[in-house]
Amino acid sequence: EVSALSPVLAAGAWLAVLAADEAVRFRGRRTSPSPAAGPRWWLLAALAAGTSILATAAVLTATGAAGSGSDWVRGLTGSLTRSDSGQGPGGISLDPFVGVEQRITAQSDQELIRYRSDDRQRRYLRLTTLENFDGQVWRPHEPAPGAAATEPQPAPPVVAAAQQAEIEVSVSRLANPALPVPNYPRRVAVPGEAEVWRWDNRTGDVISSGTPAQDRSFTVEAADPDITADLLAGRSTDSALAGLINSSLPPSLPAQIGRTAAEVSAGSDDDYSAAVALQEWFTDPGNFTYSLTVPEAGGRHPIVAFLQDRQGVCQQFASTMAVMARSLGIPARVVVGFAPGRADGGGSYVVLGSDAHAWPELWFDDIGWVRFEPTPSSAQ
Protein backbone atom coordinates (compact mmCIF):
# COMPACT_ATOMS: atom_id res chain seq x y z
CA GLU A 1 0.00 0.00 0.00
CA VAL A 2 1.32 3.46 -0.91
CA SER A 3 1.09 6.21 1.70
CA ALA A 4 -0.75 9.40 0.80
CA LEU A 5 2.53 11.19 1.49
CA SER A 6 4.23 9.36 -1.38
CA PRO A 7 3.06 11.72 -4.13
CA VAL A 8 3.88 14.69 -1.89
CA LEU A 9 7.40 13.46 -1.28
CA ALA A 10 7.92 12.62 -4.95
CA ALA A 11 6.60 16.01 -6.06
CA GLY A 12 8.97 17.79 -3.69
CA ALA A 13 11.92 15.67 -4.78
CA TRP A 14 11.13 16.17 -8.46
CA LEU A 15 10.86 19.94 -8.02
CA ALA A 16 14.22 19.94 -6.29
CA VAL A 17 15.72 17.86 -9.14
CA LEU A 18 14.44 20.35 -11.71
CA ALA A 19 15.82 23.28 -9.73
CA ALA A 20 19.19 21.60 -9.32
CA ASP A 21 19.23 20.86 -13.05
CA GLU A 22 18.67 24.52 -13.87
CA ALA A 23 21.40 25.57 -11.45
CA VAL A 24 23.84 23.23 -13.21
CA ARG A 25 22.87 24.66 -16.60
CA PHE A 26 23.27 28.23 -15.30
CA ARG A 27 26.78 27.48 -14.10
CA GLY A 28 27.54 26.16 -17.59
CA ARG A 29 26.07 29.22 -19.28
CA ARG A 30 28.28 31.56 -17.24
CA THR A 31 31.30 30.21 -19.17
CA SER A 32 29.52 30.29 -22.51
CA PRO A 33 30.20 33.06 -25.06
CA SER A 34 26.45 33.57 -25.41
CA PRO A 35 24.63 36.01 -23.07
CA ALA A 36 23.84 34.32 -19.78
CA ALA A 37 20.52 34.78 -18.10
CA GLY A 38 20.08 33.81 -14.48
CA PRO A 39 18.41 30.58 -13.45
CA ARG A 40 14.76 30.57 -14.36
CA TRP A 41 12.77 32.15 -11.55
CA TRP A 42 10.17 29.40 -11.58
CA LEU A 43 12.78 26.70 -11.03
CA LEU A 44 14.27 28.61 -8.10
CA ALA A 45 10.76 28.86 -6.72
CA ALA A 46 10.38 25.14 -7.36
CA LEU A 47 13.43 24.46 -5.21
CA ALA A 48 11.92 26.45 -2.38
CA ALA A 49 8.54 24.78 -2.89
CA GLY A 50 10.12 21.34 -3.02
CA THR A 51 12.02 21.96 0.20
CA SER A 52 8.85 23.23 1.85
CA ILE A 53 6.85 20.21 0.65
CA LEU A 54 9.44 17.77 1.94
CA ALA A 55 9.66 19.56 5.29
CA THR A 56 5.87 19.59 5.64
CA ALA A 57 5.68 15.91 4.76
CA ALA A 58 8.29 15.10 7.37
CA VAL A 59 6.26 16.93 10.02
CA LEU A 60 3.08 15.14 8.97
CA THR A 61 4.85 11.82 9.18
CA ALA A 62 6.18 12.60 12.63
CA THR A 63 2.75 13.63 13.91
CA GLY A 64 0.89 10.77 12.24
CA ALA A 65 -1.24 13.20 10.22
CA ALA A 66 -0.68 11.43 6.89
CA GLY A 67 -3.53 9.51 5.34
CA SER A 68 -3.29 6.12 3.70
CA GLY A 69 -4.94 6.73 0.33
CA SER A 70 -3.13 7.44 -2.94
CA ASP A 71 -4.13 8.61 -6.42
CA TRP A 72 -0.88 7.51 -8.00
CA VAL A 73 -0.89 5.21 -11.00
CA ARG A 74 2.09 2.89 -10.93
CA GLY A 75 3.67 1.50 -14.07
CA LEU A 76 5.94 -1.51 -14.29
CA THR A 77 9.08 0.36 -13.23
CA GLY A 78 7.88 2.45 -10.36
CA SER A 79 5.51 5.36 -10.39
CA LEU A 80 3.43 6.99 -13.03
CA THR A 81 1.96 10.10 -11.47
CA ARG A 82 -0.67 12.49 -12.73
CA SER A 83 0.61 16.04 -13.02
CA ASP A 84 -0.18 19.43 -14.50
CA SER A 85 2.70 19.96 -16.90
CA GLY A 86 1.39 23.20 -18.30
CA GLN A 87 1.09 21.51 -21.69
CA GLY A 88 -2.47 20.30 -21.39
CA PRO A 89 -4.57 18.48 -18.81
CA GLY A 90 -3.73 15.19 -17.22
CA GLY A 91 -0.01 14.88 -17.93
CA ILE A 92 1.64 11.69 -16.62
CA SER A 93 5.21 11.50 -15.34
CA LEU A 94 7.33 8.36 -15.03
CA ASP A 95 9.15 8.29 -11.70
CA PRO A 96 12.91 8.72 -12.35
CA PHE A 97 13.84 6.36 -9.51
CA VAL A 98 13.74 2.57 -9.22
CA GLY A 99 13.55 0.97 -5.80
CA VAL A 100 14.17 -2.73 -5.28
CA GLU A 101 11.16 -3.01 -2.97
CA GLN A 102 8.56 -1.05 -4.94
CA ARG A 103 5.07 -2.50 -5.25
CA ILE A 104 2.51 -2.16 -7.97
CA THR A 105 -0.91 -0.82 -7.03
CA ALA A 106 -2.41 -0.15 -10.48
CA GLN A 107 -1.41 0.27 -14.09
CA SER A 108 -2.40 2.93 -16.58
CA ASP A 109 -4.11 1.90 -19.81
CA GLN A 110 -3.82 5.43 -21.20
CA GLU A 111 -1.90 6.01 -24.39
CA LEU A 112 1.35 7.91 -23.84
CA ILE A 113 3.37 7.45 -27.04
CA ARG A 114 3.02 6.44 -30.67
CA TYR A 115 5.94 5.67 -32.94
CA ARG A 116 6.54 4.51 -36.49
CA SER A 117 9.84 3.50 -38.09
CA ASP A 118 10.83 3.12 -41.72
CA ASP A 119 11.87 -0.49 -41.00
CA ARG A 120 8.64 -1.24 -39.03
CA GLN A 121 10.57 -2.71 -36.09
CA ARG A 122 9.25 -2.76 -32.53
CA ARG A 123 11.57 -0.88 -30.20
CA TYR A 124 12.20 -0.34 -26.54
CA LEU A 125 12.06 3.38 -25.75
CA ARG A 126 14.53 4.65 -23.14
CA LEU A 127 13.79 7.69 -21.00
CA THR A 128 16.14 7.94 -18.01
CA THR A 129 19.35 6.15 -17.07
CA LEU A 130 20.04 5.26 -13.43
CA GLU A 131 23.59 4.50 -12.38
CA ASN A 132 23.78 5.47 -8.70
CA PHE A 133 22.77 2.66 -6.33
CA ASP A 134 22.58 3.24 -2.57
CA GLY A 135 21.64 -0.31 -1.62
CA GLN A 136 17.89 0.28 -1.89
CA VAL A 137 17.18 2.66 -4.78
CA TRP A 138 18.70 3.36 -8.20
CA ARG A 139 18.87 7.09 -8.94
CA PRO A 140 19.95 9.26 -11.88
CA HIS A 141 23.17 11.25 -11.69
CA GLU A 142 23.27 15.03 -11.77
CA PRO A 143 22.44 16.04 -15.38
CA ALA A 144 25.43 16.67 -17.64
CA PRO A 145 23.88 18.58 -20.57
CA GLY A 146 25.97 18.58 -23.73
CA ALA A 147 25.41 19.41 -27.38
CA ALA A 148 21.99 19.95 -28.90
CA ALA A 149 20.31 16.66 -29.74
CA THR A 150 20.22 17.74 -33.39
CA GLU A 151 24.00 17.19 -33.42
CA PRO A 152 25.22 13.63 -34.10
CA GLN A 153 26.06 11.78 -30.91
CA PRO A 154 29.50 10.12 -30.74
CA ALA A 155 29.27 6.34 -30.82
CA PRO A 156 31.56 3.29 -30.71
CA PRO A 157 32.63 2.07 -34.17
CA VAL A 158 30.19 -0.85 -34.26
CA VAL A 159 27.31 1.57 -33.59
CA ALA A 160 28.55 4.37 -35.84
CA ALA A 161 28.94 1.96 -38.78
CA ALA A 162 25.53 0.34 -38.32
CA GLN A 163 22.55 0.85 -40.57
CA GLN A 164 20.41 3.83 -39.57
CA ALA A 165 16.65 3.83 -39.08
CA GLU A 166 14.34 6.84 -38.88
CA ILE A 167 11.70 6.71 -36.18
CA GLU A 168 8.83 9.17 -35.88
CA VAL A 169 7.64 9.57 -32.29
CA SER A 170 4.56 11.37 -31.03
CA VAL A 171 4.16 11.93 -27.28
CA SER A 172 0.70 12.65 -25.93
CA ARG A 173 0.72 12.69 -22.13
CA LEU A 174 4.26 11.98 -20.92
CA ALA A 175 5.30 14.97 -18.80
CA ASN A 176 8.93 14.05 -17.99
CA PRO A 177 11.63 16.54 -19.09
CA ALA A 178 13.21 13.81 -21.25
CA LEU A 179 12.31 12.33 -24.62
CA PRO A 180 11.54 8.62 -25.09
CA VAL A 181 14.01 7.43 -27.74
CA PRO A 182 15.11 4.04 -29.09
CA ASN A 183 18.40 2.45 -28.10
CA TYR A 184 21.46 3.87 -29.87
CA PRO A 185 19.95 7.24 -30.89
CA ARG A 186 22.27 9.24 -33.14
CA ARG A 187 20.30 12.43 -33.79
CA VAL A 188 16.97 13.86 -32.55
CA ALA A 189 15.01 16.68 -34.19
CA VAL A 190 12.10 18.39 -32.41
CA PRO A 191 10.57 21.02 -34.72
CA GLY A 192 11.10 24.54 -33.39
CA GLU A 193 13.01 23.39 -30.31
CA ALA A 194 16.53 22.72 -31.56
CA GLU A 195 18.17 24.29 -28.49
CA VAL A 196 15.73 22.94 -25.91
CA TRP A 197 16.67 19.25 -26.08
CA ARG A 198 20.26 18.24 -25.42
CA TRP A 199 22.31 15.08 -25.06
CA ASP A 200 23.24 14.06 -21.55
CA ASN A 201 26.99 13.63 -21.87
CA ARG A 202 27.11 10.79 -19.36
CA THR A 203 24.23 8.62 -20.52
CA GLY A 204 23.11 9.65 -24.01
CA ASP A 205 19.62 10.47 -22.71
CA VAL A 206 17.81 13.38 -24.38
CA ILE A 207 16.98 15.93 -21.69
CA SER A 208 15.69 19.45 -21.19
CA SER A 209 15.94 21.94 -18.35
CA GLY A 210 12.30 21.39 -17.46
CA THR A 211 10.37 21.35 -20.73
CA PRO A 212 8.09 18.27 -20.72
CA ALA A 213 7.92 15.76 -23.53
CA GLN A 214 4.13 16.04 -23.53
CA ASP A 215 2.39 17.05 -26.80
CA ARG A 216 5.61 16.87 -28.82
CA SER A 217 6.38 15.05 -32.06
CA PHE A 218 9.94 14.45 -33.16
CA THR A 219 12.16 12.34 -35.40
CA VAL A 220 14.98 10.10 -34.20
CA GLU A 221 17.77 8.67 -36.30
CA ALA A 222 18.86 5.52 -34.48
CA ALA A 223 21.47 2.88 -35.21
CA ASP A 224 20.66 -0.82 -35.50
CA PRO A 225 24.05 -2.40 -34.71
CA ASP A 226 24.46 -6.13 -35.15
CA ILE A 227 25.76 -6.91 -31.66
CA THR A 228 26.17 -10.67 -31.67
CA ALA A 229 27.33 -13.20 -29.11
CA ASP A 230 30.52 -13.70 -31.13
CA LEU A 231 31.20 -9.96 -31.00
CA LEU A 232 30.77 -9.83 -27.21
CA ALA A 233 32.54 -13.07 -26.35
CA GLY A 234 35.90 -12.42 -24.70
CA ARG A 235 35.30 -8.66 -24.69
CA SER A 236 36.84 -6.77 -21.79
CA THR A 237 34.66 -4.76 -19.40
CA ASP A 238 37.56 -3.07 -17.59
CA SER A 239 37.68 0.46 -18.95
CA ALA A 240 34.22 1.51 -17.69
CA LEU A 241 34.47 4.79 -19.59
CA ALA A 242 37.67 5.69 -17.73
CA GLY A 243 35.81 5.93 -14.45
CA LEU A 244 33.09 8.23 -15.73
CA ILE A 245 30.38 5.88 -14.54
CA ASN A 246 29.58 4.79 -11.04
CA SER A 247 29.91 1.02 -10.89
CA SER A 248 30.28 0.70 -7.14
CA LEU A 249 28.21 -1.18 -4.60
CA PRO A 250 27.60 -0.06 -1.01
CA PRO A 251 29.76 -1.89 1.58
CA SER A 252 26.63 -2.72 3.57
CA LEU A 253 25.18 -4.86 0.76
CA PRO A 254 24.62 -8.42 2.03
CA ALA A 255 27.40 -10.79 0.95
CA GLN A 256 24.77 -13.35 -0.05
CA ILE A 257 24.03 -11.36 -3.22
CA GLY A 258 27.61 -11.58 -4.49
CA ARG A 259 27.86 -15.24 -3.53
CA THR A 260 24.70 -16.01 -5.46
CA ALA A 261 26.03 -14.16 -8.53
CA ALA A 262 29.27 -16.16 -8.34
CA GLU A 263 27.37 -19.44 -8.03
CA VAL A 264 25.06 -18.66 -10.95
CA SER A 265 27.94 -17.63 -13.22
CA ALA A 266 30.35 -20.38 -12.15
CA GLY A 267 32.03 -21.96 -15.16
CA SER A 268 31.53 -18.92 -17.40
CA ASP A 269 34.41 -18.30 -19.81
CA ASP A 270 34.16 -14.50 -19.83
CA ASP A 271 32.05 -11.56 -18.68
CA TYR A 272 29.58 -11.95 -21.52
CA SER A 273 28.86 -15.60 -20.73
CA ALA A 274 28.54 -14.64 -17.05
CA ALA A 275 25.98 -11.98 -17.98
CA VAL A 276 24.04 -14.47 -20.09
CA ALA A 277 24.12 -16.95 -17.21
CA LEU A 278 22.56 -14.34 -14.93
CA GLN A 279 19.89 -13.47 -17.48
CA GLU A 280 18.98 -17.09 -18.15
CA TRP A 281 18.84 -17.84 -14.43
CA PHE A 282 16.07 -15.24 -14.08
CA THR A 283 14.19 -16.22 -17.24
CA ASP A 284 14.41 -20.02 -17.16
CA PRO A 285 10.90 -21.41 -16.57
CA GLY A 286 10.34 -22.38 -12.97
CA ASN A 287 13.12 -20.24 -11.51
CA PHE A 288 11.32 -16.91 -11.03
CA THR A 289 7.75 -15.68 -11.43
CA TYR A 290 6.68 -12.33 -12.79
CA SER A 291 3.94 -11.01 -10.51
CA LEU A 292 2.41 -7.63 -9.71
CA THR A 293 2.31 -8.75 -6.09
CA VAL A 294 5.70 -8.32 -4.43
CA PRO A 295 5.92 -10.24 -1.14
CA GLU A 296 6.87 -8.31 1.98
CA ALA A 297 10.58 -8.41 2.77
CA GLY A 298 9.87 -9.02 6.44
CA GLY A 299 13.07 -7.44 7.73
CA ARG A 300 15.26 -8.98 5.02
CA HIS A 301 17.24 -6.88 2.56
CA PRO A 302 14.87 -6.43 -0.43
CA ILE A 303 17.26 -8.05 -2.92
CA VAL A 304 17.84 -10.99 -0.60
CA ALA A 305 14.08 -11.29 -0.17
CA PHE A 306 13.61 -11.26 -3.95
CA LEU A 307 16.28 -13.93 -4.45
CA GLN A 308 14.57 -16.10 -1.85
CA ASP A 309 10.93 -15.51 -2.79
CA ARG A 310 11.64 -15.61 -6.57
CA GLN A 311 8.70 -13.32 -7.34
CA GLY A 312 8.49 -9.71 -8.46
CA VAL A 313 8.09 -7.10 -11.19
CA CYS A 314 10.57 -5.68 -13.67
CA GLN A 315 12.30 -3.29 -11.28
CA GLN A 316 13.22 -6.23 -9.05
CA PHE A 317 14.63 -8.18 -12.00
CA ALA A 318 16.47 -5.21 -13.53
CA SER A 319 17.84 -3.95 -10.21
CA THR A 320 18.98 -7.35 -9.03
CA MET A 321 20.70 -8.36 -12.27
CA ALA A 322 22.54 -5.02 -12.39
CA VAL A 323 23.69 -5.41 -8.78
CA MET A 324 24.79 -9.01 -9.35
CA ALA A 325 26.68 -7.99 -12.51
CA ARG A 326 28.50 -5.27 -10.58
CA SER A 327 29.41 -7.81 -7.91
CA LEU A 328 31.15 -9.79 -10.69
CA GLY A 329 33.08 -6.70 -11.80
CA ILE A 330 30.90 -5.93 -14.84
CA PRO A 331 29.80 -2.27 -15.06
CA ALA A 332 26.00 -2.18 -15.02
CA ARG A 333 23.18 0.35 -14.76
CA VAL A 334 19.37 0.44 -14.95
CA VAL A 335 17.31 2.15 -17.64
CA VAL A 336 13.75 3.39 -17.13
CA GLY A 337 11.55 3.59 -20.20
CA PHE A 338 8.96 1.59 -22.07
CA ALA A 339 8.56 -1.84 -23.61
CA PRO A 340 7.84 -1.76 -27.37
CA GLY A 341 4.04 -1.48 -27.15
CA ARG A 342 1.36 -2.87 -29.47
CA ALA A 343 0.86 -2.57 -33.21
CA ASP A 344 -2.22 -0.53 -34.10
CA GLY A 345 -2.67 -2.05 -37.55
CA GLY A 346 -1.55 1.05 -39.43
CA GLY A 347 2.19 0.55 -39.22
CA SER A 348 2.48 2.43 -35.91
CA TYR A 349 2.99 1.15 -32.39
CA VAL A 350 1.05 2.40 -29.38
CA VAL A 351 2.73 2.60 -25.96
CA LEU A 352 0.53 2.69 -22.86
CA GLY A 353 1.29 3.56 -19.27
CA SER A 354 1.25 -0.15 -18.52
CA ASP A 355 4.21 -0.58 -20.91
CA ALA A 356 6.48 1.33 -18.51
CA HIS A 357 9.50 -0.88 -17.97
CA ALA A 358 13.00 -1.14 -16.51
CA TRP A 359 15.94 -3.17 -17.78
CA PRO A 360 19.69 -3.47 -17.06
CA GLU A 361 22.49 -2.45 -19.39
CA LEU A 362 26.00 -3.89 -19.12
CA TRP A 363 29.19 -2.30 -20.44
CA PHE A 364 31.53 -4.00 -22.94
CA ASP A 365 34.70 -2.27 -24.13
CA ASP A 366 34.66 -0.99 -27.73
CA ILE A 367 30.95 -1.82 -27.92
CA GLY A 368 29.32 0.32 -25.24
CA TRP A 369 26.17 -0.38 -23.26
CA VAL A 370 24.21 -3.51 -24.17
CA ARG A 371 20.63 -4.16 -23.06
CA PHE A 372 19.76 -7.39 -21.25
CA GLU A 373 16.25 -8.58 -20.40
CA PRO A 374 15.95 -10.58 -17.16
CA THR A 375 12.20 -10.02 -16.69
CA PRO A 376 10.50 -13.34 -17.55
CA SER A 377 7.35 -11.87 -19.12
CA SER A 378 9.29 -9.95 -21.78
CA ALA A 379 12.57 -11.86 -22.04
CA GLN A 380 14.19 -12.10 -25.45
Side-chain angles (χ1 to χ4, degrees):
E1 181 176 327
V2 182
S3 165
L5 273 182
S6 297
V8 178
L9 289 169
W14 186 240
L15 288 171
V17 168
L18 291 179
D21 174 53
E22 178 64 5
V24 170
R25 295 175 185 277
F26 176 55
R27 288 199 300 271
R29 288 198 297 268
R30 289 188 301 182
T31 61
S32 171
S34 60
R40 299 179 186 178
W41 67 267
W42 60 272
L43 283 172
L44 294 179
L47 178 58
T51 303
S52 176
I53 289 171
L54 291 172
T56 302
V59 171
L60 289 173
T61 300
T63 60
S68 61
S70 173
D71 60 359
W72 275 26
V73 180
R74 287 191 175 263
L76 295 184
T77 76
S79 333
L80 282 171
T81 85
R82 299 182 186 280
S83 67
D84 180 3
S85 68
Q87 301 293 318
I92 292 178
S93 295
L94 187 63
D95 189 349
F97 307 98
V98 167
V100 294
E101 201 177 10
Q102 289 175 324
R103 288 171 173 78
I104 302 301
T105 57
Q107 296 184 55
S108 169
D109 60 359
Q110 299 181 47
E111 179 180 323
L112 301 183
I113 305 164
R114 280 180 177 261
Y115 68 91
R116 175 196 296 266
S117 65
D118 54 7
D119 60 6
R120 293 181 173 265
Q121 287 190 27
R122 300 172 70 244
R123 284 178 163 82
Y124 282 68
L125 298 176
R126 57 190 308 118
L127 191 68
T128 303
T129 302
L130 315 177
E131 63 176 46
N132 297 321
F133 180 64
D134 64 8
Q136 300 282 339
V137 178
W138 287 86
R139 306 176 189 276
H141 64 81
E142 187 175 14
T150 51
E151 298 294 324
Q153 180 175 218
V158 68
V159 175
Q163 182 177 352
Q164 306 288 305
E166 185 172 281
I167 301 95
E168 299 173 357
V169 184
S170 178
V171 179
S172 53
R173 305 188 61 194
L174 186 63
N176 292 74
L179 297 180
V181 297
N183 283 332
Y184 307 112
R186 300 302 313 283
R187 191 195 309 262
V188 180
V190 184
E193 296 182 340
E195 297 302 318
V196 173
W197 301 96
R198 313 196 76 82
W199 296 112
D200 187 310
N201 281 336
R202 290 173 62 97
T203 64
D205 296 338
V206 183
I207 60 176
S208 77
S209 62
T211 300
Q214 185 174 355
D215 297 331
R216 279 162 173 78
S217 295
F218 55 94
T219 301
V220 185
E221 292 179 14
D224 281 324
D226 187 18
I227 299 179
T228 63
D230 288 341
L231 187 63
L232 294 172
R235 187 74 58 174
S236 170
T237 61
D238 295 336
S239 72
L241 292 177
L244 291 180
I245 64 170
N246 176 8
S247 193
S248 63
L249 292 173
S252 60
L253 199 69
Q256 177 182 343
I257 300 171
R259 288 197 302 267
T260 302
E263 292 170 1
V264 171
S265 61
S268 299
D269 296 328
D270 52 28
D271 287 341
Y272 172 66
S273 58
V276 171
L278 291 177
Q279 176 176 262
E280 291 181 347
W281 184 61
F282 288 115
T283 59
D284 278 352
N287 272 1
F288 284 81
T289 302
Y290 177 85
S291 174
L292 297 181
T293 302
V294 181
E296 295 287 344
R300 299 168 293 174
H301 187 280
I303 292 183
V304 172
F306 172 66
L307 293 176
Q308 292 175 345
D309 297 336
R310 306 281 182 102
Q311 180 177 324
V313 291
C314 67
Q315 64 263 39
Q316 276 82 40
F317 289 97
S319 298
T320 303
M321 180 171 172
V323 169
M324 293 174 76
R326 284 190 178 188
S327 75
L328 298 175
I330 308 172
R333 62 189 191 181
V334 173
V335 176
V336 172
F338 297 91
R342 287 81 168 163
D344 72 348
S348 297
Y349 292 91
V350 177
V351 178
L352 308 178
S354 55
D355 292 314
H357 192 47
W359 60 90
E361 289 185 335
L362 277 56
W363 173 265
F364 294 88
D365 291 349
D366 303 320
I367 302 296
W369 293 103
V370 177
R371 174 177 61 82
F372 284 78
E373 184 52 275
T375 303
S377 65
S378 56
Q380 294 184 355

